[in-house]
Amino acid sequence: MLDWYDAHARVLPWRAAPGLPPPDPYRVWLSEVMLQQTQVAAVIPYFETFTTRWPDFAALAAADDADVMSAWAGLGYYARARNLLAAARVVASAHGGRLPRDEAALRTLPGFGAYTAAAVAAIAFGQRAVVVDGNVERVVARLFALAEPLPGARAKLRYLADSITPDARPGDFAQAMMDLGATICTPRSPKCLLCPLANQCDARRAGTPDAYPVKAKKAARPVRHGTFFWLEREGAVLLVRRPPCGLLGGMRALPTGPWEAVPPGIDGAPVAADWTLRNATIRHVFTHFELHGTLATATLGRHIGAVEGEWWPIERLGEAGLPRLFAKAVEAMESVA
DNA sequence: GAGGCGTGGAC
DNA sequence: TGTCCAAGCCT
């Protein structure tokens, strides 16, 4: 694997060349968090933005929450951004501005699960750690033709990954396994002819590499319906800040009512007004449900009383840091208007 | 353990 | 215009 990595490692902004000293732990950590459930191509522009604007722990720890959340907008899984900031502040205040080198100590920081703690310990600090992500699970499941389905097989896969992890160059080994999974040992149509492990692979020998890993069936995704409220006043639209936890937590948003099995109409409108339901549908797929949204619009005069939220200039909505769902609603509004 | 938690790309 | 799923974490 290490020979293969030396010849075929992907060149990535957060990565040192194979065999060279490891890169800045801050950059390793930031990239690992951004890469959670997110593909490399989506991460690269965000990584460049973040490292330019906040080049180290001290800078990130001192950042405004709203700026970080806006910079993360569009990348998804916003709890990552909240945990990123929380971890940077712990590192700055309790660890002298440096990440702990020890996997167990890393594991206690916000947003550090089993994978990220192991990956940072191995890649940034050269410690032997068993790094198991979705790529490694797939490679190992095929290598050993493990018939037990995920997620139950996690512990066994981890044991098997441990059994092939070397003491030397653990960071390069981990990245080699992940590169192999991302480019050769892919979920569908793996390129076994190019694989350095082909001769040792049980699934390859059986002729059915894409049958692994075996997975349990997923539940169907329900559809929910909701209304986006577009409240306009003097060239501005009302935006709100979503509650700090839960779906799209902490993000700027258009006001919405409840999301239910049937269209809720103007229930949950931010103010009593002469709402018009528009003939425009916003479709957005989340991990565990699909949302079909409708627009409701209203315009206020200048003498309205206090309204919860901020009046955001319509021409500058692109700078509001809206999650994709609400950006879609804005696009739908532009097509209706 | 199982479910909540985004988004976009591949086919 | 459907399915799968990607360098997971948290409760």
Side-chain angles (χ1 to χ4, degrees):
Chain A
M1 281 305 294
L2 291 171
D3 288 343
W4 179 82
Y5 188 67
D6 288 339
H8 298 288
R10 288 181 288 177
V11 176
L12 299 171
W14 46 84
R15 183 178 274 187
L20 291 182
D24 181 359
Y26 173 77
R27 295 167 64 88
V28 173
W29 164 65
L30 180 62
S31 70
E32 289 302 339
V33 173
M34 288 183 165
L35 286 161
Q36 289 165 11
Q37 298 290 286
T38 308
Q39 294 183 344
V40 165
V43 164
I44 287 174
Y46 285 85
F47 181 81
E48 302 291 2
T49 297
F50 268 70
T51 51
T52 300
R53 189 162 176 188
W54 301 293
D56 52 35
F57 286 106
L60 186 58
D64 285 337
D65 294 39
D67 290 340
V68 173
M69 298 312 287
S70 287
W72 197 276
L75 197 57
Y77 284 136
Y78 298 99
R80 293 184 295 175
R82 304 193 297 267
N83 287 331
L84 191 80
L85 206 38
R89 289 172 179 161
V90 172
V91 168
S93 65
H95 295 281
R98 295 185 181 183
L99 279 176
R101 301 171 59 89
D102 173 58
E103 186 180 349
L106 288 168
R107 188 74 176 73
T108 68
L109 293 169
F112 277 80
Y115 164 77
T116 303
V120 170
I123 297 169
F125 299 120
Q127 313 229 16
R128 187 185 182 282
V130 184
V131 181
V132 183
D133 74 330
N135 288 304
V136 175
E137 285 182 349
R138 184 171 56 256
V139 171
V140 171
R142 288 173 177 169
L143 199 54
F144 295 93
L146 186 68
E148 189 180 339
L150 286 172
R154 286 258 142 80
K156 198 164 292 182
L157 284 169
R158 183 190 160 76
Y159 171 84
L160 292 170
D162 194 349
S163 75
I164 63 170
T165 299
D167 292 325
R169 299 176 60 189
D172 285 347
F173 177 78
Q175 294 179 93
M177 291 288 281
M178 294 190 282
D179 273 19
L180 189 74
T183 64
I184 306 288
C185 194
T186 48
R188 281 166 300 203
S189 308
K191 303 169 182 63
C192 299
L193 292 177
L194 301 176
C195 181
L197 301 179
N199 286 337
Q200 303 149 64
C201 181
D202 289 343
R204 162 75 167 157
R205 194 168 300 118
T208 56
D210 35 355
Y212 302 91
V214 181
K215 295 196 176 183
K217 275 222 164 94
K218 290 175 185 168
R221 201 170 3 232
V223 174
R224 294 185 198 165
H225 299 266
T227 303
F228 299 89
F229 294 100
W230 180 276
L231 186 61
E232 203 169 318
R233 190 188 74 170
E234 297 180 307
V237 63
L238 181 69
L239 297 183
V240 297
R241 180 75 63 183
R242 290 179 61 83
C245 303
L247 187 75
L248 305 168
M251 300 300 290
R252 203 172 266 138
L254 286 170
T256 57
W259 294 352
E260 299 172 334
V262 295
I266 62 167
D267 288 357
V271 296
D274 186 17
W275 291 105
T276 303
L277 278 170
R278 300 287 181 161
N279 187 16
T281 301
I282 298 101
R283 294 190 51 171
H284 192 74
V285 180
F286 293 98
T287 305
H288 54 297
F289 68 95
E290 180 174 337
L291 183 69
H292 292 190
T294 303
L295 277 168
T297 61
T299 303
L300 295 182
R302 68 181 60 197
H303 341 280
I304 188 68
V307 179
E308 188 82 12
E310 39 183 347
W311 293 103
W312 194 276
I314 293 171
E315 301 79 39
R316 290 179 35 220
L317 271 174
E319 305 158 35
L322 295 176
R324 282 294 301 149
L325 167 65
F326 299 105
K328 285 183 186 177
V330 171
E331 288 170 23
M333 187 60 207
E334 287 163 353
S335 69
V336 163

